[in-house]
Each structure stands twice: as C-alpha cells, then as structure tokens.
Amino acid sequence: MTVWAAAAQEPGLQLARGVGDHLPGTVLALTAALLFGLGSVLQHEAAARVAVDGRLPVRAMLRQRTWLLGQAATTAGTGAQVAALALAPVSLVQPLLAGALVAALAVRTVRTAIPPTRVEVVGAGLTVAGIAVFVAAARPGPAALDRSPAGWAVVAAVVGVTLAVALTARLGAGPGAALACGVTGGLAAGVAAVLVAAGLTVVSAAGVAAALGRPEVWGAVVAGVVSQVGAQQAYGRGSLNASLPALAVLDPLAAVPAARLLLGEHLEPGHAVVWGPAGLVAVLGIVLLTRSGGPSQRPGAAVRR
C-alpha cells in the first residue's frame, strides 16, 4: 500500500496532500530529474556523433560509451521515478521531472566549459520557480482507491502514443523533426507514468501475480519503451534545445490530465489562481531555454573528454 493511499483509507485521518507530506516521493522525483538531465545530455552527445540523416544505427550506438553511461543514468532515473510514484501522486511527481531540463543545462555547462547565457539563466530560474510554486499550490490529491483505468482506455492510450512515435520517427533531421519527436516521446512518457502509478496500486492491493494479469501493467511497460524510443529519435535529429524542452513539457501536460481522467487524481481547485500562472511561468522558462541556443551551437563548444 502506498503512503498516500494508506492515508486516504484511515478513518478520521486528515488527508495529507502538500509537498511536505509527500517528502520522500518529492526527493525521489527530484533525484530522478537530476538523473534524467544527466542521461539526456550524454545520450544526445552520443546520438549526435553517430546519427545519419536523423537515423540512429543501433550497433554504432551500442559502441558509444557515452551512450551507455547515459542509458545507465536514465535507467537509474526511471527507478527513482517509479519509487516516487509509489509514494506520491502522478500530478506531483511528473511536474517535478520537468526540472530535468535545468539539470541538463548544468551538466552541459560542465561538459562544455562554457557558462550559460543570460537568457538560459533567466529561463532556468523561471522554470524552477514556476515548478516550485505549482507543486506547492496545486496540492495534488491521491487517486480514487476504487478507480482503475478501463482496459479499452489503456489500450487506446498505448496504441495512440505508439502510433504517434512511429509516425514522427519517419521524419528526417532538423529542429522541427527533433521537436516533433520530443513531443510524441513526452506524451508517451506521461501516459507511461500514469499506467505505472495504476500498476503500483494494483500490486499494493492484490499482489504481483494479480498485477501481471492487468492491462495497465503491460501498458506501462510498452508505453515506457515507446517513450524511450521517442526520446532517442529526438536526440538524434537536432540540438538538445530542440528536443529536451518538448520532452520536459509534454510529459506533465499529458500525465496530469490523464491522471485526473484515468485515476481520479485532482489538483486544489481553489488555488488555481496561483498554480495556473505558476505553470505558465515554468513553460515560459522552458521556452526561453529552447530559444537560447545550446552550447553545441556556439563557437568553441567542444565537449571535454
């Protein structure tokens, strides 16, 4: 039983919904964001070296130590994300993961030895501030304990994101293609997170054996793999500034409403006047980071090896 679901079941116990009430899940989500930021930079470096017209030769990728290290960081981040989803609502965890973009900026700055531009600093500040105010004011509530996504809804969501990623994978190279692949990869990641949360609820309530027979568990596996394929395609088609912001924005934008529709999670409606603008501030910060131009596009931006 997850911490927040158990709290909801206790009679007479006030439901804990603030960030401080989900501190372990919050810390794990932030850890996942740091690992995803590191992994995205390393994978992008490797993909940029071996990509040919937007296509990624698998064997060449596997021979890249940087790509393997990036995959290891991403895998560790996924583990931290799953643990966070077991302890906190999707609507809290996924917005925090948008901090991966700021983490990637820091990692990229260290590896290129080029300080961030003023626009990047402002963008990073707005992103962090917007996310912090959003999760503090939205106070995401837990999923309804008696609600699980219908099988047809799970299949429709997984098929939808799979087709979207497959279609954008046919695009060539360039910023537009990187953006499109980032959008579909982010959508798949958001759907995967919601299905992971649903699967964890089944495991806590009925055990692993019962969970293996549920569509949300297998849907989470498929959507997770599809999101990784979408991310890799995005990294190989353009600069990190063209792909990672889309991945960072579309993930929570897909996860929060999907968690509301499929799991019954909700945000604090009375505080919408605060968390709504805060979310827009975070998006503005991400847009600034997108428009700034990465180090790989500036003179002397060679990665230190």
Side-chain angles (χ1 to χ4, degrees), residues 43-56:
Q43 290 176 73
H44 178 264
E45 289 178 7
R49 283 197 291 266
V50 303
V52 179
D53 295 328
R55 302 288 182 250
L56 297 176

Side-chain angles (χ1 to χ4, degrees), residues 126-235:
L126 290 176
T127 301
V128 171
I131 293 173
V133 174
F134 176 89
V135 298
R139 299 178 63 84
L145 295 176
D146 59 348
R147 185 168 178 176
S148 59
W152 66 265
V154 172
V155 173
V158 173
V159 170
V161 295
T162 301
L163 289 176
V165 169
L167 287 174
T168 53
R170 300 175 65 85
L171 299 174
L179 175 63
C181 291
V183 167
T184 56
L187 289 173
V191 169
V194 173
L195 296 180
V196 166
L200 290 171
T201 300
V202 174
V203 170
S204 65
V208 176
L212 292 177
R214 296 291 292 269
E216 52 262 48
V217 173
W218 296 108
V221 173
V222 174
V225 172
V226 169
S227 70
Q228 279 298 303
V229 172
Q232 297 301 320
Q233 295 294 336
Y235 296 151

